Amino acid sequence: TQVLRKSLQRGVVLSAGSYLVYEAHKLISGFAEVHASFKVEDVIEQADYLYGSGETEKLYQLLVQHKNSDDAELLWRLARSSRDLAQLGTTSAEEKRQLTYDSLEYAKKALEKNESNFAAHKWYGICLSDVGDYEGIKTKIGNAIIIKEHFQRAVELNPKDATTIHLIGVWCYSFAEMPWYQRKIAATLFATPPTSTFQEALRYFHMAEEADPNFYSKNLLFLGKTYLKLNNKKMALLWLSKAKEYPAQTEEDKQV
């Protein structure tokens, strides 16, 4: 009754017809806002189902419709989906390149929309690294510090995300085994070139495994490879065997 009375008081200055239009517009606008929020949630739920089912192409087709969204959760998923599609063996070289650059733009936009979204930081770092493959070793090394900073920020925001911890391990491994000519390039780009060790890489790979045991075939592989670099063949065999026996669900699992 009070709501109706207040509505009627607001409607005094309006004609009967315009008042009804005004109230109907408010009702429809409110419904549209609620419907829009549910729609985003529905899309995310469907996207996560498709991702878990390995439906890479269907997932991309679903998410690319929302490339102009302001929702960081949709955008980082689109960045991931674009990258996954680029990784497929059926994707042409030209499409792969375009998808790689698109994925970086989507991740960048996700960060702009929500700087506190850990996944946006993670996928921005991954996609920035991928773009470096097209722009040359100098650019790739030049972006290395930025990439690690985004991975570290992602871990700060979500300390339990095993994948990001793994990625920091890969970063450390890459710099630990960097050949001399790349070290020379790094020395020209940085006053203090980034460095790492296999021991540091190993620590991150184990941290990732502790956060989520057996979560990723590639983490098992890198544990084995890192132990090989450290001349511990017994431990290398243990982790490489686990990688070999890992149930292959994705193309990457098969490559591992």
Side-chain angles (χ1 to χ4, degrees), residues 234-249:
K234 182 179 178 181
M235 290 301 292
L237 181 61
L238 170 68
W239 290 103
L240 291 173
S241 296
K242 288 185 178 185
K244 182 175 179 292
E245 293 160 8
Y246 192 91
Q249 296 177 328

Side-chain angles (χ1 to χ4, degrees), residues 1 7 26 32-34 36-37 39-40 91 107-108 116 128-131 151 155 175 177 211 234 239-240 243 254:
T1 307
S7 296
K26 280 188 62 191
E33 287 176 11
V34 173
S37 67
K39 185 179 179 182
V40 169
T91 304
K108 182 180 178 183
S116 297
L128 185 60
S129 178
D130 288 347
V131 165
F151 289 159
V155 172
F175 274 92
E177 73 163 358
K234 182 179 178 181
W239 290 103
L240 291 173
K254 293 172 187 175

Side-chain angles (χ1 to χ4, degrees), residues 10 20-21 37 109 123 162 165 195 221 225-226 243 246 250 256:
R10 287 199 303 271
L20 288 172
V21 171
S37 67
K109 189 177 176 184
W123 287 99
I165 300 169
T195 59
L221 175 66
K225 289 174 67 175
T226 308
Y246 192 91
T250 68
V256 166

Side-chain angles (χ1 to χ4, degrees), residues 14 20 30 35 58 77 92 98 105-106 108 122 133 139 151 163 175 190 194 200 213-214 225 230-231 233 241 251 254:
L14 302 171
L20 288 172
H35 180 69
K58 288 182 182 177
R77 282 173 170 82
S92 70
Q98 185 61 54
E105 285 304 308
Y106 300 141
K108 182 180 178 183
K122 173 168 75 174
D133 293 337
T139 298
F151 289 159
T163 310
F175 274 92
F190 302 100
E200 187 178 15
N214 213 41
K225 289 174 67 175
L230 295 170
N231 295 316
K233 292 183 179 180
S241 296
E251 188 64 32
K254 293 172 187 175

Side-chain angles (χ1 to χ4, degrees), residues 27 41 49 51 84 94 100 127 130-131 174 195 201 241:
L27 183 64
E41 291 172 7
Y49 174 79
Y51 181 76
D84 287 348
E94 186 178 343
T100 299
C127 296
D130 288 347
V131 165
S174 299
T195 59
S241 296

Side-chain angles (χ1 to χ4, degrees), residues 42-254:
D42 289 345
V43 172
I44 289 173
E45 184 178 354
Q46 189 178 354
D48 289 348
Y49 174 79
L50 290 171
Y51 181 76
S53 303
E55 296 282 0
T56 304
E57 294 180 10
K58 288 182 182 177
L59 175 58
Y60 175 78
Q61 292 303 326
L62 170 69
L63 291 174
V64 76
Q65 300 174 63
H66 304 279
K67 64 181 180 181
N68 296 318
S69 171
D70 290 331
D71 193 287
E73 289 291 330
L74 281 176
L75 290 166
W76 75 253
R77 282 173 170 82
L78 177 55
R80 179 182 66 182
S81 172
S82 302
R83 182 181 187 270
D84 287 348
L85 189 58
Q87 302 292 317
L88 292 181
T90 54
T91 304
S92 70
E94 186 178 343
E95 288 173 322
K96 181 180 174 73
R97 179 186 176 93
Q98 185 61 54
L99 285 164
T100 299
Y101 278 89
D102 286 348
S103 65
L104 179 60
E105 285 304 308
Y106 300 141
K108 182 180 178 183
K109 189 177 176 184
L111 267 183
E112 290 169 355
K113 298 302 177 185
N114 186 357
E115 196 277 336
S116 297
N117 188 300
F118 88 93
H121 282 280
K122 173 168 75 174
W123 287 99
Y124 182 80
I126 292 169
C127 296
L128 185 60
S129 178
D130 288 347
V131 165
D133 293 337
Y134 289 99
E135 299 194 350
I137 192 65
K138 190 172 182 178
T139 298
K140 198 167 181 72
I141 294 173
N143 287 334
I145 296 295
I146 300 169
I147 291 166
K148 189 179 184 184
E149 285 173 352
H150 281 283
F151 289 159
Q152 289 174 325
R153 178 63 177 146
V155 172
E156 286 173 13
L157 292 166
N158 185 0
K160 294 183 178 180
D161 184 55
T163 310
T164 311
I165 300 169
H166 162 82
L167 290 168
I168 298 175
V170 174
W171 189 97
C172 294
Y173 185 97
S174 299
F175 274 92
E177 73 163 358
M178 183 177 281
W180 66 269
Y181 66 91
Q182 291 185 10
R183 292 186 189 280
K184 288 192 71 174
I185 295 171
T188 65
L189 295 173
F190 302 100
T192 306
T195 59
S196 190
T197 64
F198 292 116
Q199 286 86 351
E200 187 178 15
L202 187 68
R203 182 168 64 87
Y204 279 108
F205 295 139
H206 273 298
M207 282 172 60
E209 207 61 33
E210 288 165 15
D212 190 2
N214 213 41
F215 73 104
Y216 187 28
S217 59
K218 210 164 188 179
N219 198 63
L220 303 175
L221 175 66
F222 267 97
L223 276 162
K225 289 174 67 175
T226 308
Y227 272 115
L228 271 180
K229 291 288 187 181
L230 295 170
N231 295 316
N232 188 334
K233 292 183 179 180
K234 182 179 178 181
M235 290 301 292
L237 181 61
L238 170 68
W239 290 103
L240 291 173
S241 296
K242 288 185 178 185
K244 182 175 179 292
E245 293 160 8
Y246 192 91
Q249 296 177 328
T250 68
E251 188 64 32
E252 190 173 51
D253 292 336
K254 293 172 187 175

